[in-house]
Coordinates of all heavy atoms in Angstrom, one line a residue:
M1 N 2.8 -8.4 4.1 CA 3.7 -7.2 4.3 C 4.9 -7.7 5.2 O 4.6 -8.3 6.2 CB 3.0 -6.0 4.9 CG 3.7 -4.7 4.8 SD 3.8 -4.1 3.1 CE 2.1 -3.6 2.9
A2 N 6.1 -7.3 4.9 CA 7.2 -7.6 5.7 C 7.9 -6.3 6.1 O 7.7 -5.2 5.5 CB 8.2 -8.4 4.9
T3 N 8.7 -6.4 7.1 CA 9.5 -5.2 7.6 C 10.9 -5.6 7.8 O 11.2 -6.7 8.3 CB 8.9 -4.7 9.0 OG1 7.5 -4.4 8.8 CG2 9.6 -3.5 9.4
V4 N 11.8 -4.7 7.4 CA 13.2 -5.0 7.6 C 13.9 -3.7 8.1 O 13.4 -2.6 7.7 CB 13.9 -5.5 6.4 CG1 14.0 -4.4 5.3 CG2 15.4 -5.9 6.7
T5 N 14.8 -3.8 9.0 CA 15.6 -2.6 9.5 C 17.0 -2.8 9.0 O 17.7 -3.8 9.3 CB 15.5 -2.5 11.0 OG1 14.1 -2.3 11.4 CG2 16.3 -1.2 11.5
L6 N 17.5 -1.8 8.3 CA 18.9 -1.8 7.8 C 19.7 -0.8 8.5 O 19.3 0.3 8.8 CB 18.9 -1.5 6.3 CG 18.1 -2.5 5.4 CD1 17.9 -1.9 4.0 CD2 18.7 -3.8 5.3
N7 N 21.0 -1.1 8.8 CA 21.9 -0.2 9.3 C 22.6 0.5 8.2 O 23.2 -0.1 7.3 CB 23.0 -0.9 10.2 CG 22.4 -1.4 11.4 OD1 21.8 -0.7 12.2 ND2 22.5 -2.8 11.6
V8 N 22.5 1.9 8.1 CA 23.1 2.6 7.1 C 24.1 3.6 7.6 O 23.8 4.4 8.6 CB 22.0 3.4 6.3 CG1 22.5 4.2 5.2 CG2 20.9 2.5 5.8
K9 N 25.3 3.6 7.0 CA 26.3 4.5 7.4 C 26.4 5.8 6.6 O 26.1 5.7 5.4 CB 27.7 3.8 7.3 CG 27.9 2.7 8.3 CD 29.3 2.2 8.3 CE 29.3 0.7 7.9 NZ 30.6 0.2 7.6
G10 N 26.7 6.9 7.2 CA 26.9 8.1 6.4 C 25.7 9.1 6.4 O 25.8 10.1 5.8
M11 N 24.6 8.7 7.1 CA 23.5 9.6 7.1 C 23.7 10.7 8.2 O 24.0 10.3 9.4 CB 22.2 8.9 7.5 CG 21.8 7.8 6.5 SD 20.2 7.1 6.9 CE 20.5 6.3 8.5
S12 N 23.6 12.0 7.8 CA 23.9 13.0 8.8 C 22.9 14.1 9.0 O 22.9 14.9 9.9 CB 25.3 13.6 8.5 OG 25.2 14.1 7.2
C13 N 22.0 14.2 8.0 CA 21.1 15.4 8.1 C 19.8 15.1 7.3 O 19.6 14.0 6.8 CB 21.7 16.6 7.5 SG 22.0 16.5 5.7
G14 N 18.9 16.1 7.3 CA 17.6 15.9 6.6 C 17.7 15.6 5.2 O 16.9 14.9 4.6
H15 N 18.8 16.1 4.5 CA 19.0 15.8 3.1 C 19.2 14.3 2.9 O 18.6 13.7 2.0 CB 20.1 16.5 2.5 CG 20.5 16.1 1.2 ND1 19.8 16.5 0.0 CD2 21.5 15.2 0.7 CE1 20.4 15.9 -1.0 NE2 21.4 15.1 -0.6
C16 N 20.0 13.7 3.8 CA 20.2 12.2 3.7 C 18.9 11.5 3.9 O 18.7 10.5 3.2 CB 21.2 11.8 4.8 SG 22.8 12.7 4.8
V17 N 18.1 11.9 4.9 CA 16.9 11.2 5.1 C 16.0 11.2 3.9 O 15.5 10.2 3.4 CB 16.1 11.9 6.3 CG1 14.7 11.4 6.4 CG2 16.9 11.8 7.6
K18 N 15.9 12.4 3.2 CA 15.1 12.5 2.0 C 15.7 11.7 0.9 O 14.9 11.0 0.1 CB 15.0 14.0 1.6 CG 14.0 14.8 2.4 CD 13.5 16.0 1.5 CE 12.2 16.5 2.1 NZ 12.3 16.9 3.5
A19 N 17.0 11.7 0.8 CA 17.6 11.0 -0.3 C 17.4 9.5 -0.2 O 17.0 8.8 -1.2 CB 19.2 11.2 -0.3
I20 N 17.5 8.9 1.0 CA 17.3 7.5 1.2 C 15.9 7.1 1.2 O 15.5 6.1 0.5 CB 18.0 7.1 2.6 CG1 19.5 7.2 2.4 CG2 17.5 5.7 3.0 CD1 20.3 6.9 3.6
E21 N 15.0 7.9 1.8 CA 13.6 7.5 1.8 C 13.1 7.7 0.3 O 12.2 6.9 -0.1 CB 12.8 8.5 2.7 CG 13.1 8.1 4.2 CD 12.3 9.0 5.2 OE1 11.7 10.0 4.8 OE2 12.3 8.7 6.4
G22 N 13.6 8.6 -0.4 CA 13.2 8.8 -1.8 C 13.7 7.7 -2.7 O 12.9 7.1 -3.5
A23 N 14.9 7.3 -2.5 CA 15.5 6.2 -3.3 C 14.7 4.9 -3.0 O 14.4 4.1 -4.0 CB 16.9 6.0 -3.0
L24 N 14.4 4.6 -1.8 CA 13.6 3.4 -1.5 C 12.2 3.5 -2.0 O 11.6 2.5 -2.4 CB 13.7 3.1 0.0 CG 15.0 2.7 0.6 CD1 15.0 2.8 2.1 CD2 15.4 1.3 0.1
G25 N 11.6 4.7 -1.8 CA 10.2 4.9 -2.3 C 10.0 4.6 -3.8 O 8.9 4.3 -4.2
E26 N 11.1 4.8 -4.5 CA 11.0 4.6 -6.0 C 10.9 3.1 -6.3 O 10.6 2.7 -7.5 CB 12.2 5.2 -6.7 CG 12.0 6.7 -6.8 CD 13.2 7.4 -7.4 OE1 14.1 6.6 -8.0 OE2 13.4 8.6 -7.3
L27 N 11.3 2.2 -5.4 CA 11.3 0.8 -5.7 C 9.9 0.3 -5.6 O 9.1 0.5 -4.7 CB 12.1 0.0 -4.7 CG 13.6 0.3 -4.7 CD1 14.3 -0.5 -3.5 CD2 14.2 -0.2 -6.0
N28 N 9.5 -0.4 -6.7 CA 8.2 -1.1 -6.7 C 8.2 -2.1 -5.6 O 9.0 -3.0 -5.5 CB 8.0 -1.7 -8.1 CG 6.6 -2.4 -8.2 OD1 5.6 -1.8 -7.7 ND2 6.5 -3.5 -8.8
G29 N 7.2 -2.0 -4.7 CA 7.0 -3.0 -3.6 C 7.4 -2.4 -2.3 O 7.0 -3.0 -1.2
V30 N 8.0 -1.3 -2.3 CA 8.3 -0.6 -1.0 C 7.1 0.3 -0.6 O 6.7 1.1 -1.4 CB 9.6 0.3 -1.1 CG1 9.7 1.2 0.2 CG2 10.8 -0.6 -1.2
E31 N 6.5 0.0 0.5 CA 5.3 0.7 1.0 C 5.7 1.9 1.8 O 5.1 3.0 1.7 CB 4.4 -0.2 1.8 CG 3.8 -1.4 1.1 CD 2.8 -0.9 0.0 OE1 2.1 0.1 0.3 OE2 2.7 -1.5 -1.0
R32 N 6.7 1.8 2.6 CA 7.1 2.8 3.5 C 8.6 2.7 3.9 O 9.0 1.6 4.2 CB 6.2 2.8 4.8 CG 5.8 4.1 5.3 CD 4.6 3.9 6.2 NE 4.9 3.4 7.5 CZ 5.1 4.2 8.6 NH1 4.9 5.5 8.5 NH2 5.4 3.7 9.7
A33 N 9.3 3.8 3.9 CA 10.7 3.8 4.4 C 10.8 4.9 5.4 O 10.4 6.0 5.2 CB 11.6 4.0 3.2
L34 N 11.4 4.6 6.6 CA 11.5 5.5 7.6 C 12.9 5.5 8.2 O 13.3 4.5 8.8 CB 10.5 5.2 8.7 CG 10.3 6.2 9.8 CD1 9.6 7.5 9.3 CD2 9.4 5.6 10.9
V35 N 13.6 6.7 8.1 CA 14.9 6.8 8.5 C 15.0 7.2 10.0 O 14.2 8.1 10.4 CB 15.7 7.8 7.7 CG1 17.1 8.1 8.3 CG2 16.0 7.2 6.3
D36 N 15.8 6.6 10.8 CA 16.1 7.0 12.1 C 17.5 7.5 12.1 O 18.5 6.8 12.1 CB 15.9 5.9 13.1 CG 16.3 6.3 14.5 OD1 16.8 7.4 14.7 OD2 16.2 5.4 15.5
L37 N 17.6 8.9 12.1 CA 18.9 9.5 11.9 C 19.8 9.2 13.1 O 21.0 8.9 13.0 CB 18.7 11.0 11.7 CG 19.7 11.8 10.9 CD1 20.1 11.1 9.6 CD2 19.2 13.2 10.7
Q38 N 19.2 9.3 14.3 CA 20.0 9.1 15.6 C 20.5 7.7 15.6 O 21.7 7.4 15.9 CB 19.1 9.3 16.8 CG 18.5 10.7 16.9 CD 19.5 11.7 17.4 OE1 20.2 11.4 18.4 NE2 19.5 12.9 16.8
G39 N 19.7 6.7 15.3 CA 20.1 5.3 15.3 C 20.9 4.8 14.1 O 21.5 3.8 14.2
G40 N 20.9 5.6 13.0 CA 21.5 5.2 11.8 C 20.9 4.0 11.1 O 21.6 3.2 10.6
T41 N 19.6 4.0 11.2 CA 18.8 2.9 10.6 C 17.7 3.4 9.7 O 17.3 4.5 9.8 CB 18.2 2.0 11.7 OG1 17.3 2.7 12.4 CG2 19.2 1.4 12.6
V42 N 17.3 2.5 8.8 CA 16.1 2.8 8.0 C 15.3 1.5 8.1 O 15.7 0.4 7.9 CB 16.4 3.2 6.6 CG1 17.3 2.1 5.9 CG2 15.1 3.4 5.8
T43 N 14.0 1.7 8.5 CA 13.0 0.7 8.6 C 12.1 0.7 7.3 O 11.6 1.8 7.0 CB 12.2 0.8 9.9 OG1 13.2 0.7 11.0 CG2 11.2 -0.4 10.0
V44 N 12.0 -0.4 6.7 CA 11.3 -0.5 5.4 C 10.1 -1.5 5.5 O 10.3 -2.6 5.9 CB 12.2 -0.9 4.3 CG1 11.4 -0.8 2.9 CG2 13.4 0.0 4.2
E45 N 8.9 -1.0 5.2 CA 7.8 -1.9 5.0 C 7.7 -2.3 3.5 O 7.6 -1.3 2.7 CB 6.5 -1.3 5.5 CG 6.4 -1.2 7.0 CD 5.2 -0.4 7.5 OE1 4.2 -0.4 6.7 OE2 5.2 0.1 8.6
Y46 N 7.6 -3.5 3.2 CA 7.6 -3.9 1.8 C 6.8 -5.2 1.5 O 6.5 -6.0 2.4 CB 9.1 -4.0 1.3 CG 9.8 -5.2 2.0 CD1 10.1 -6.4 1.3 CD2 10.3 -5.1 3.3 CE1 10.8 -7.4 1.8 CE2 11.0 -6.1 3.9 CZ 11.2 -7.3 3.1 OH 11.9 -8.3 3.7
R47 N 6.5 -5.3 0.3 CA 5.9 -6.6 -0.2 C 7.0 -7.5 -0.7 O 7.7 -7.2 -1.6 CB 4.9 -6.3 -1.3 CG 3.7 -5.4 -0.9 CD 2.6 -5.4 -1.9 NE 3.1 -5.0 -3.2 CZ 3.2 -3.7 -3.6 NH1 2.9 -2.7 -2.8 NH2 3.7 -3.4 -4.8
E48 N 7.1 -8.6 0.0 CA 8.2 -9.6 -0.3 C 8.1 -10.1 -1.7 O 9.2 -10.5 -2.3 CB 8.1 -10.8 0.7 CG 8.6 -10.5 2.1 CD 8.3 -11.6 3.0 OE1 7.1 -11.9 3.3 OE2 9.2 -12.3 3.5
E49 N 6.9 -10.2 -2.3 CA 6.8 -10.8 -3.6 C 7.3 -9.8 -4.7 O 7.5 -10.2 -5.8 CB 5.4 -11.3 -3.9 CG 4.3 -10.2 -4.0 CD 3.7 -9.8 -2.6 OE1 4.4 -10.1 -1.6 OE2 2.6 -9.2 -2.6
S50 N 7.4 -8.5 -4.3 CA 7.8 -7.5 -5.3 C 9.2 -7.0 -5.2 O 9.7 -6.5 -6.2 CB 6.8 -6.3 -5.2 OG 5.5 -6.7 -5.4
V51 N 9.8 -7.0 -4.1 CA 11.1 -6.4 -3.9 C 11.9 -7.2 -2.9 O 11.4 -7.7 -1.9 CB 11.0 -4.9 -3.5 CG1 10.3 -4.8 -2.1 CG2 12.3 -4.1 -3.6
S52 N 13.2 -7.2 -3.1 CA 14.1 -7.9 -2.2 C 14.9 -7.0 -1.4 O 15.1 -5.8 -1.7 CB 15.1 -8.9 -3.0 OG 16.0 -8.1 -3.7
V53 N 15.5 -7.5 -0.3 CA 16.3 -6.6 0.6 C 17.6 -6.2 -0.2 O 18.1 -5.1 0.0 CB 16.6 -7.4 1.9 CG1 17.7 -6.6 2.7 CG2 15.4 -7.6 2.7
D54 N 18.1 -7.1 -1.0 CA 19.3 -6.8 -1.8 C 19.0 -5.6 -2.7 O 19.9 -4.7 -2.9 CB 19.7 -8.0 -2.7 CG 20.5 -9.0 -1.9 OD1 21.0 -8.6 -0.8 OD2 20.7 -10.1 -2.3
Q55 N 17.8 -5.5 -3.3 CA 17.5 -4.4 -4.1 C 17.4 -3.1 -3.3 O 17.8 -2.0 -3.8 CB 16.1 -4.6 -4.8 CG 16.1 -5.6 -5.9 CD 14.7 -5.9 -6.5 OE1 13.9 -6.5 -5.8 NE2 14.4 -5.4 -7.7
M56 N 17.0 -3.2 -2.1 CA 17.0 -2.0 -1.2 C 18.4 -1.5 -0.9 O 18.7 -0.4 -1.0 CB 16.3 -2.3 0.1 CG 14.8 -2.7 0.0 SD 14.2 -3.2 1.6 CE 12.8 -4.2 1.1
K57 N 19.2 -2.5 -0.6 CA 20.6 -2.2 -0.3 C 21.3 -1.5 -1.5 O 22.0 -0.5 -1.4 CB 21.4 -3.4 0.0 CG 21.0 -4.0 1.4 CD 21.9 -5.3 1.7 CE 21.5 -5.8 3.1 NZ 22.2 -7.1 3.4
E58 N 21.0 -2.0 -2.7 CA 21.5 -1.5 -3.9 C 21.1 0.0 -4.1 O 21.8 0.9 -4.4 CB 21.1 -2.3 -5.1 CG 22.1 -2.6 -6.1 CD 21.7 -3.6 -7.1 OE1 21.0 -3.2 -8.1 OE2 22.0 -4.8 -7.0
A59 N 19.8 0.2 -3.9 CA 19.2 1.6 -4.0 C 19.9 2.6 -3.0 O 20.2 3.7 -3.4 CB 17.7 1.6 -3.8
I60 N 20.1 2.1 -1.8 CA 20.8 2.9 -0.8 C 22.2 3.2 -1.2 O 22.7 4.4 -1.1 CB 20.7 2.3 0.6 CG1 19.2 2.2 1.1 CG2 21.6 3.0 1.6 CD1 19.1 1.3 2.3
E61 N 22.9 2.2 -1.7 CA 24.3 2.4 -2.1 C 24.4 3.3 -3.3 O 25.3 4.1 -3.4 CB 24.9 1.0 -2.3 CG 25.3 0.4 -1.0 CD 25.7 -1.1 -1.1 OE1 25.7 -1.6 -2.2 OE2 25.9 -1.7 0.0
D62 N 23.4 3.1 -4.3 CA 23.4 4.0 -5.4 C 23.2 5.5 -5.0 O 23.6 6.4 -5.7 CB 22.3 3.6 -6.4 CG 22.7 2.3 -7.2 OD1 23.8 1.9 -7.1 OD2 21.8 1.8 -7.9
A63 N 22.5 5.7 -3.9 CA 22.2 7.1 -3.4 C 23.5 7.6 -2.7 O 23.5 8.8 -2.3 CB 21.0 7.1 -2.5
G64 N 24.5 6.8 -2.5 CA 25.7 7.2 -1.9 C 26.0 6.9 -0.5 O 26.9 7.5 0.1
Y65 N 25.3 5.9 0.0 CA 25.5 5.5 1.4 C 25.8 4.0 1.5 O 25.6 3.3 0.6 CB 24.2 5.8 2.2 CG 23.8 7.2 2.1 CD1 22.9 7.6 1.1 CD2 24.2 8.2 3.0 CE1 22.6 9.0 1.0 CE2 23.9 9.5 2.9 CZ 23.1 9.9 1.9 OH 22.7 11.2 1.8
D66 N 26.4 3.7 2.6 CA 26.8 2.3 2.8 C 25.9 1.6 3.8 O 25.5 2.1 4.8 CB 28.2 2.2 3.5 CG 29.3 2.6 2.5 OD1 29.1 2.3 1.3 OD2 30.3 3.2 2.9
V67 N 25.5 0.4 3.4 CA 24.7 -0.5 4.2 C 25.6 -1.4 5.0 O 26.4 -2.2 4.4 CB 23.7 -1.3 3.4 CG1 22.8 -2.1 4.3 CG2 22.8 -0.3 2.5
A68 N 25.5 -1.5 6.3 CA 26.3 -2.4 7.1 C 25.8 -3.8 7.0 O 24.7 -4.1 6.8 CB 26.3 -1.9 8.6
Ligands
CU1 CU1 22.8 14.7 4.9

């Protein structure tokens, strides 16, 4: 299991948290996604053999947010 923390721009409320955690949760290989609204980050626990960080960035961007 691996962990990565991504800086995400544009998250402002509980809806954003749900949108991002939901988008990441749909990716095969993502075990857990946890948004820190104050810090503007999302920490993801994932299986490296199943999903890449680029795929996570893409999912976040598809949900309408920017990854720094
Ligand atoms: Cu929001």
Side-chain angles (χ1 to χ4, degrees):
M1 193 75 70
T3 304
V4 66
T5 298
L6 302 168
N7 291 301
V8 180
K9 286 187 242 171
M11 301 187 296
S12 57
C13 66
H15 171 79
C16 302
V17 173
K18 281 207 162 55
I20 289 175
E21 289 179 349
L24 290 169
E26 282 176 16
L27 293 175
N28 184 41
V30 169
E31 293 292 324
R32 219 157 78 96
L34 190 65
V35 169
D36 176 356
L37 208 49
Q38 300 282 318
T41 61
V42 54
T43 300
V44 187
E45 286 176 26
Y46 65 105
R47 297 191 305 273
E48 285 172 293
E49 67 274 21
S50 301
V51 65
S52 70
V53 174
D54 278 345
Q55 284 175 290
M56 296 174 205
K57 289 181 179 174
E58 223 172 81
I60 293 169
E61 282 165 3
D62 285 349
Y65 302 91
D66 286 328
V67 181

